[in-house]
Amino acid sequence: MINYILEKLKALTAIPSPSGYTNNASNYVIQELKNLGFNATMTKKGCLFCDLGGEGDSLMLAAHIDTLGGMVQEIKANGRLKITRLGGLLAHNIEAENCKIITRNGKEFEGAFQINNPSVHVNGKYQEVVRDFDNMEVVIDEHVTNEKETKSLGIQVGDIVAFDPRTVVTSSGYIKSRFLDDKLSVATLLGLAKHISEEKPKLNKHLYLFIAVYEEVGHGSSSIPIEVDEFISVDMGCVGDGLSCTERQVSICVKDSSGPLNYELTSRLINTAKKNNLDYAVDVYPNYSADVDAALSGGSDFKHGLIGPGVYASHGYERSHVNGVLATFELLKNYLCN
Ligand SMILES: [Zn+2]
């Protein structure tokens, strides 16, 4: 199973999908679910919805396929690009990173994100430059020296800028990529769908899958197509100072910035992890508002939970581990099948 999940993670991270530009990645997931025998549909704003079967109370498992990224805000007089961020992208975190500029008519150009005047042999104030979107720019890997030449390539304001995910799986089982949040969970849920398709376990809930878009800008699951009894966001688990989770565990969140997760559902998740001897951690997330909170704010009524593999350096060059992925997979499987 882990090989399948890692293969899907690599495929998904190779498809650029910053918030607002997710259809290619979503269509990949639709096709993959179809290969597994499930019929997923797309909502008007681009979220995916799929009935995975089973009997009992309804449970929706949700992950999001949109990622951080950029959008061309201005074509500068020097021919380079000022960008605005999509989601909580931090400029210093993508310094010197390769990127793709994807035009509205589907052309792609390569480039890199640099501070203005980035040669240390030239810029005596290199160290002092504040790394933000005003002082940094996309240098396009084409022969362009002014605004007119860049525009003649077909590049326009509003084009998508997607950063190199640099997805790597080490021989020690660590998984690194810019966009483990939340493509690692999407891949894990595909793994669960594969398990259901092949093993046909008896599910004690009626299970639905929801793959949200626009999560990174705050309204991913704000509307959902049906009423459900339980809704669990499967998203990156926080790892850092003061928290107990590591990348090798599944994180069960008890409170995020929007408040406490549902007490009963969270207790059931903790008990399932305990009973099955899974490596898990229970944590409070200090700066995180899960997509499931967006669904509650949108007016839905259900019990809500939040779990996911531990992810280090979130919204940067993120790291997790196959053990954390497997613990997440097992927690979901056991919650559904016990
Ligand atoms: Zn996320």
Side-chain angles (χ1 to χ4, degrees), residues 64 181-182 215-216 235-236 288:
H64 65 91
D181 175 15
D182 188 28
E215 190 275 348
E216 293 292 1
D235 207 335
M236 45 143 288
Y288 190 119

Side-chain angles (χ1 to χ4, degrees), residues 48-68:
L48 297 188
F49 174 64
C50 186
D51 185 341
L52 294 187
E55 278 178 30
D57 287 353
S58 48
L59 165 66
M60 193 174 278
L61 294 178
H64 65 91
I65 200 148
D66 62 314
T67 69
L68 307 181

Side-chain angles (χ1 to χ4, degrees), residues 153-165:
L153 293 175
I155 291 174
Q156 306 175 76
V157 170
D159 287 348
I160 296 295
V161 178
F163 291 90
D164 188 344

Side-chain angles (χ1 to χ4, degrees), residues 74-215:
E74 179 192 338
I75 299 170
K76 297 167 67 170
N78 61 16
R80 300 193 277 265
L81 306 172
K82 180 177 179 179
I83 64 167
T84 181
R85 66 181 183 171
L86 300 173
L89 187 74
L90 296 169
H92 57 264
N93 235 320
I94 45 164
E95 181 172 0
E97 186 63 277
N98 286 320
C99 61
K100 267 185 203 170
I101 304 115
I102 306 168
T103 71
R104 221 162 260 275
N105 60 10
K107 276 200 234 163
E108 290 188 5
F109 297 95
E110 294 185 54
F113 191 65
Q114 301 277 15
I115 64 164
N116 301 341
N117 198 17
S119 301
V120 284
H121 300 90
V122 177
N123 185 351
K125 300 235 163 42
Y126 180 90
Q127 298 277 26
E128 295 157 36
V129 175
V130 175
R131 269 60 177 173
D132 64 19
F133 291 98
D134 289 327
N135 294 321
M136 301 178 80
E137 59 191 6
V138 173
V139 182
I140 309 164
D141 295 325
E142 297 288 334
H143 184 58
V144 286
T145 57
N146 58 46
E147 183 184 351
K148 196 169 160 229
E149 288 168 355
T150 296
K151 282 185 171 167
S152 71
L153 293 175
I155 291 174
Q156 306 175 76
V157 170
D159 287 348
I160 296 295
V161 178
F163 291 90
D164 188 344
R166 285 194 286 133
T167 306
V168 170
V169 180
T170 69
S171 55
S172 52
Y174 282 96
I175 308 164
K176 301 189 285 184
S177 175
R178 284 200 167 274
F179 305 124
L180 296 183
D181 175 15
D182 188 28
K183 288 180 170 175
L184 187 54
S185 303
V186 175
T188 304
L189 292 182
L190 282 174
L192 189 67
K194 184 175 167 31
H195 171 74
I196 292 167
S197 165
E198 290 176 355
E199 308 295 328
K200 306 206 171 6
K202 190 177 170 324
L203 304 179
N204 62 21
K205 309 229 176 238
H206 194 142
L207 179 62
Y208 297 94
L209 208 60
F210 191 70
I211 306 295
V213 296
Y214 294 106
E215 190 275 348

